[in-house]
Amino acid sequence: MKDEFRQDPPIDIAGEQDRILLDGVERELYDFIDEENADNFYRMKEGLTEDIVRQISEEKHDPEWMLEFRLNSLKIYDEIKVPDWGPPIDGLNMEQIATYVRSKKDMVSNWEEVPEDIKNAFEKLGIPQAERESLAGVGAQYDSELVYHNVREDVEKQGVIYTDMESALIGEYADMVKDHFMKLVPPTDHKFAALHGAVWSGGSFVYVPKGVKVEIPLQSYFRLNAKGAGQFEHTLIIVDEGADLHFIEGCSAPKYNIANLHAGCVELYVAKNAHLRYSTIENWSKNMYNLNTKRAIVEEGGTIEWVSGSFGSHESYLYPTSVLKGDNSHAEFTGVTFAGKGQNLDTGAKVIHIGKNTSSFIDTKSICKGGGISTYRSSVEVRKSAEGAKASVNCGSLMLDSISRSDTVPAIDVRTSKADIGHEAKIGRISDEAVFYLMSRGISEAEARAMIVSGFCSPVSKELPLEYAAEMNNLIKLEMEGG
């Protein structure tokens, strides 16, 4: 792959409108577009230069160390080559990506004070209703910055800190942010980690004190509305000793006929005997390049659980990583990927076993149709120090036609003889007999196939809160209708 990006059309352009349908699926819930009004929105010019990075830093009132961090990350970005082993990303040109777009209104904690057009967008996505019914706190990001953030009073009384990254960076938690920011995912990790370090904006900061168990989830929702723009939110979560948290991340964007970019970063710190579940439903538009990085480090006796649903984007590189540093630490990853027409999704999970008697379990499902390409890429590394480690990887693929493609690329590196490691992979198609059986019970063929796919994905949906499982099943139904 070339070192420089080319602006090849990443998608087929249909008609004269910016908003298009790539696979015949009309998804009005997610595909609505709010016109970007210069009176209400500030948009930085496209491209990636030192002047732009300095301008972002000035907009955000960064401390001096963060400006230096950004500039150093930009230097690393310019030096690192584009990955040459995953899907081609030649259609992405940073010279045509605006790295910072924000509302001119400040973030608020009262929903009624959110600008009307943005409020309407989140109302359509069900965010206020979800907050009222099932969430302990919500952060809503629109383009590059949070526009709304609120936490329930009873959760605050527990000492839980849940705020936007900007407030944490310049407020009373500044030292905690400095001690942890991009220490798990350094800018030297890969080109798009460096890009994130240079232009990050928005995101969430969470700290759960020792022994505190947050009974209901916290959620951040990211909406990228701007055309030809990038979103670079940073999520930093610290769950202290013996604490427990479920954090949910949702994201969506409307479809355009030019490339958009998502290069966020998630860093999770799970302390001794702590537990964190991190759930994600990603429904990016199919002109999106999703180059996201997620990583967790787990201390002695701690547990990290990932629950992931990937349904959108033109191309994806996404491999949540668990570093099992402490003895008896544990990681689980449960995920589903749905690749339709025009999509090339390279996803998976990684686990690094360092402590003694560590354990991990990876269970993934991938579905492809309409010529979509789904690649499952896993890595299990068991170091010499990880005596007694146990790891199991199970991946299944469901092909819905003869023109799609599904690949499994596992990597297992074991450096101790005192370990128990297993890997299993299966691939298949929807059984004609199963479809016929359901149709004989009065169900249409399309509904029958959607039911079978939903059942295939049940390991993920059953791990989600009810309203998010319903959203995932709705996305599956919509994707199947497109077939």
Side-chain angles (χ1 to χ4, degrees), residues 64-77:
E64 186 63 30
W65 74 265
M66 180 55 76
L67 172 58
E68 293 176 4
F69 187 94
R70 290 181 184 276
L71 294 175
N72 184 57
S73 296
L74 177 63
K75 181 180 178 182
I76 294 169
Y77 172 83

Side-chain angles (χ1 to χ4, degrees), residues 100-112:
Y100 189 75
V101 182
R102 65 165 173 82
S103 168
K104 291 184 178 180
K105 299 289 185 180
D106 293 334
M107 183 185 72
V108 297
S109 58
N110 183 343
W111 184 251
E112 297 307 316

Side-chain angles (χ1 to χ4, degrees), residues 15-80:
E16 299 179 354
Q17 298 179 352
D18 284 334
R19 182 172 176 277
I20 60 175
L21 297 177
L22 303 177
D23 55 5
V25 181
E26 177 61 66
R27 303 198 289 185
E28 294 180 356
L29 175 60
Y30 306 101
D31 288 341
F32 60 88
I33 293 173
D34 297 318
E35 293 300 323
E36 192 178 312
N37 190 323
D39 294 333
N40 298 323
F41 283 86
Y42 170 76
R43 182 186 183 100
M44 203 165 286
K45 68 178 183 179
E46 291 79 5
L48 183 62
T49 65
E50 180 176 328
D51 286 344
I52 288 174
V53 171
R54 286 183 178 276
Q55 194 175 350
I56 292 173
S57 185
E58 184 178 347
E59 282 283 332
K60 301 174 74 60
H61 309 290
D62 283 344
E64 186 63 30
W65 74 265
M66 180 55 76
L67 172 58
E68 293 176 4
F69 187 94
R70 290 181 184 276
L71 294 175
N72 184 57
S73 296
L74 177 63
K75 181 180 178 182
I76 294 169
Y77 172 83
D78 289 335
E79 294 170 351
I80 297 180

Side-chain angles (χ1 to χ4, degrees), residues 223-251:
R223 176 72 176 176
L224 179 57
N225 179 73
K227 178 174 64 174
Q231 194 168 63
F232 309 95
E233 81 286 346
H234 193 92
T235 299
L236 175 57
I237 299 177
I238 303 168
V239 185
D240 215 331
E241 185 174 340
D244 194 315
L245 173 68
H246 183 188
F247 190 88
I248 301 172
E249 177 188 82
C251 41

